[in-house]
Amino acid sequence: MMAGYLVIAIDGPAASGKGTLARRLAEHFGLDHLDTGLTYRAVAKALLDAGLPLDDEAEAQKVALAVDLAKLDRDVLSTHEVGEAASRIAVMPSVRRALVEKQREFARRAPGAVLDGRDIGTVVCPDADVKLYITATAPVRADRRWREILAGGGQAEYADILADVERRDARDMSRTDSPLKPAPDAHLLDTSEMDIETAFLTARAFVEKELARRSKA
Ligand code: DC
């Protein structure tokens, strides 16, 4: 289904289900999708690969300016180590400025886009047509991640994952530049007791309401 130019901003903490929702909404409404977490991960991975320190902002900014959104490879960027490093470099204002510029360019292209991350509704696309803030309690998110790892044949301790989720939340929510928080006009969606299908249908209804409002305007 083509929706006409439309930008959907999705924010929320790690493992809230926002990525799956973003992909499904993009597919349903015929929009491009950008997981902005991958852009921070790409910077972190390039620094790790080059053996560079994670606290050198000038170096990290150089790497951020060179990130190519067309070359983000989820498979190589989704490791735990890269995620940890990404949340450390994501506190750097000059890295954020470089990546936000690229993310905005992506959102400007027709037919519009779904972007998911931490600061999409507040900073990257404050004029987005629909804003969603997806949450779930930390134990529920840790449990989802733990099951994913086991289902993929991996091994992990639930307690370690919970500690990790809580540490990542604290870092993402307490940084001075663009902390994770809902935009004042975001629809809040707590998926703690929702399966992904119900979450998708609820999110889709928010978008359909906006489209109906437009067609009447
Ligand atoms: O969603 P993720 O786990 O792939 O994100 C990795 C890190 O990147 C996360 O800890 C915070 C940061 N991030 C951010 O600061 N702003 C975004 N829009 C997306 C991710």
Side-chain angles (χ1 to χ4, degrees), residues 52-108:
L52 291 165
L54 293 171
D55 56 1
D56 184 338
E57 182 161 354
E59 205 58 58
Q61 181 195 18
K62 253 194 262 167
V63 173
L65 287 166
V67 165
D68 181 348
L69 298 195
K71 292 195 181 138
L72 300 171
D73 181 344
R74 170 176 307 278
D75 289 338
V76 302
L77 296 174
S78 62
T79 67
H80 177 72
E81 186 198 11
V82 172
E84 258 307 296
S87 99
R88 290 180 55 192
I89 57 101
V91 304
M92 299 171 172
S94 64
V95 168
R96 302 200 69 86
R97 272 199 304 278
L99 295 179
V100 164
E101 193 42 53
K102 291 172 196 276
Q103 294 160 9
R104 285 183 179 148
E105 240 173 73
F106 184 93
R108 276 196 290 269

Side-chain angles (χ1 to χ4, degrees), residues 18 36-37 40-41 86-87 90 96 117-119 168 172 175:
K18 65 184 187 309
T36 61
Y40 291 90
R41 285 171 180 263
S87 99
R96 302 200 69 86
R118 305 291 193 289
D119 60 341
R168 189 80 63 86
D172 291 345
R175 66 172 174 241

Side-chain angles (χ1 to χ4, degrees), residues 181-205:
K181 63 170 181 208
D185 51 348
H187 299 286
L188 302 185
L189 194 57
D190 185 334
T191 67
S192 302
E193 293 180 19
M194 248 182 221
D195 58 26
I196 183 64
E197 192 56 27
T198 311
F200 169 66
L201 294 175
T202 311
R204 192 180 79 182

